[in-house]
């Protein structure tokens, strides 16, 4: 059975005081919850706060994650952050190919694939994001768009997909309050798993997360779907109490 993963994506939010308050509230809420077994949990924070959050999360069962990484090991790449820096700061995961990076930083499928490949050579877990726009969905292109984004990554990784985590994030659902219906989410998740099955016999072991306006109210319905193995949560992860409610909805 696949253990669920609940990962927060803070995007470009936070401050040193916000961060320490968030961790305090999380600690209290998790202990009030009294769950013996938690799903895997992670919070992906802006790079400047990785060090502070790494220290704060020492006393909390939430792993540290980053929001992007360079495919290059080191050198003249001003503004970039390397995998070895993330390892140095204790990050256990990294989001790659978020739709905001694809849209605002023009990251191509190839760039995303190179970042995933570089990450797979470390102990850091890549959480790679795929999703269609509203227009693509309306014109019936959801599966072809997802298949092309997925193929770019699987082509460079095959046959070793161990540790790969996929996040299906319909672009139209991110930060909009529009959530995929359980039927829409399950349909795409099952499609992704079928595509993976054609490439690896371990497809049933790989986690596929849903992301897109997941919140404390809709999490349980989405997380109970057979091919939804967790969530990538933006806005609601900033509200510590809500993030804990989503963790609780995931059970184990
Ligand atoms: C995200 O940024 O990955 C995301 C899913 O955002 P939100 O939950 O706010 O839609």
């Amino acid at each position: 059975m696949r253990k669920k993963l609940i990962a927060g994506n803070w995007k470009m939010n936070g401050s040193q005081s916000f961060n320490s308050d968030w961790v305090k509230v999380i600690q209290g809420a998790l202990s009030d919850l009294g769950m013996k077994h938690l799903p895997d949990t992670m919070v992906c924070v802006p790079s400047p706060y990785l060090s502070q959050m790494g220290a704060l999360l020492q006393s909390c069962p939430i792993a540290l994650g980053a929001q992007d990484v360079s495919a290059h090991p080191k050198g003249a790449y001003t503004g970039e952050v390397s995998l070895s820096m993330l390892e140095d700061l204790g990050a256990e995961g990294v989001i790659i190919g978020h739709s905001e990076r694809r849209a605002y930083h023009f990251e191509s499928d190839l760039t995303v694939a190179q970042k995933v490949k570089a990450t797979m050579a470390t102990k850091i877990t890549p959480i790679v994001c795929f999703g269609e726009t509203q227009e693509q969905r309306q014109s019936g292109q959801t599966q072809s768009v997802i298949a092309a984004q997925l193929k770019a990554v699987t082509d460079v990784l095959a046959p070793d997909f161990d540790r790969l985590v996929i996040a299906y994030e319909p672009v139209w659902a991110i930060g909009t309050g529009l959530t995929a219906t359980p039927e829409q989410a399950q349909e795409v998740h099952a499609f992704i798993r079928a595509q993976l099955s054609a490439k690896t016999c371990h497809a049933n072991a790989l986690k596929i997360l849903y992301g897109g306006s997941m919140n404390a109210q809709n999490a349980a319905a989405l997380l109970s779907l057979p091919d939804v193995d967790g969530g990538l949560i933006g806005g609601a992860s900033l509200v510590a109490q809500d993030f804990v409610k989503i963790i609780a909805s995931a059970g184990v």
Side-chain angles (χ1 to χ4, degrees):
M1 197 179 131
R2 297 179 294 270
K3 191 170 180 192
K4 292 209 174 5
L5 168 63
I6 301 298
N9 172 18
W10 278 7
K11 313 191 190 213
M12 198 170 69
N13 293 292
S15 66
Q16 295 196 65
S17 66
F18 172 91
N19 306 347
S20 64
D21 289 348
W22 186 91
V23 174
K24 269 188 216 132
V25 177
I26 289 274
Q27 279 170 322
L30 281 178
S31 83
D32 290 350
L33 207 62
M35 278 171 79
K36 264 203 189 134
H37 304 288
L38 289 173
D40 290 335
T41 52
M42 182 178 289
V43 62
C44 300
V45 304
S47 300
Y49 297 132
L50 282 166
S51 178
Q52 182 206 11
M53 285 296 283
L56 289 169
L57 292 172
Q58 291 291 323
S59 51
C60 203
I62 296 188
L64 180 69
Q67 298 176 7
D68 183 36
V69 72
S70 173
H72 303 286
K74 63 190 268 192
Y77 300 101
T78 303
E80 297 275 289
V81 173
S82 72
L83 280 155
S84 61
M85 291 171 188
L86 296 187
E87 283 180 315
D88 200 19
L89 292 170
E92 294 178 48
V94 61
I95 298 170
I96 297 176
H98 191 281
S99 60
E100 288 154 13
R101 293 212 59 86
R102 293 179 190 257
Y104 309 141
H105 300 273
F106 310 107
E107 285 194 11
S108 65
D109 285 347
L110 182 63
T111 305
V112 171
Q114 286 165 342
K115 290 182 177 192
V116 177
K117 189 176 168 74
T119 304
M120 290 290 257
T122 70
K123 291 204 167 75
I124 295 177
T125 298
I127 302 175
V128 55
C129 302
F130 303 118
E132 81 287 1
T133 63
Q134 182 84 287
E135 280 162 18
Q136 289 165 335
R137 175 164 280 271
Q138 280 166 353
S139 58
Q141 295 177 71
T142 299
Q143 292 197 350
S144 60
V145 169
I146 302 284
Q149 293 174 344
L150 192 59
K151 184 176 183 302
V153 170
T154 54
D155 278 358
V156 299
L157 290 186
D160 182 15
F161 299 97
D162 207 25
R163 289 188 310 109
L164 177 70
V165 174
I166 285 165
Y168 168 54
E169 296 211 309
V171 178
W172 49 271
I174 296 179
T176 58
L178 296 173
T179 313
T181 62
E183 294 72 28
Q184 287 171 326
Q186 172 57 27
E187 190 184 7
V188 177
H189 281 236
F191 173 74
I192 292 172
R193 202 173 305 282
Q195 297 283 300
L196 289 168
S197 298
K199 305 271 181 177
T200 168
C201 54
H202 301 301
N204 276 331
L206 298 177
K207 291 191 213 305
I208 307 175
L209 315 183
Y210 169 80
S213 298
M214 187 184 273
N215 58 39
Q217 288 71 46
N218 61 27
L222 290 159
L223 293 170
S224 64
L225 298 167
D227 284 294
V228 174
D229 308 313
L232 181 56
I233 299 115
S237 71
L238 288 161
V239 183
Q241 295 280 8
D242 286 358
F243 193 53
V244 170
K245 283 185 193 148
I246 297 170
I247 292 171
S249 306
V252 276

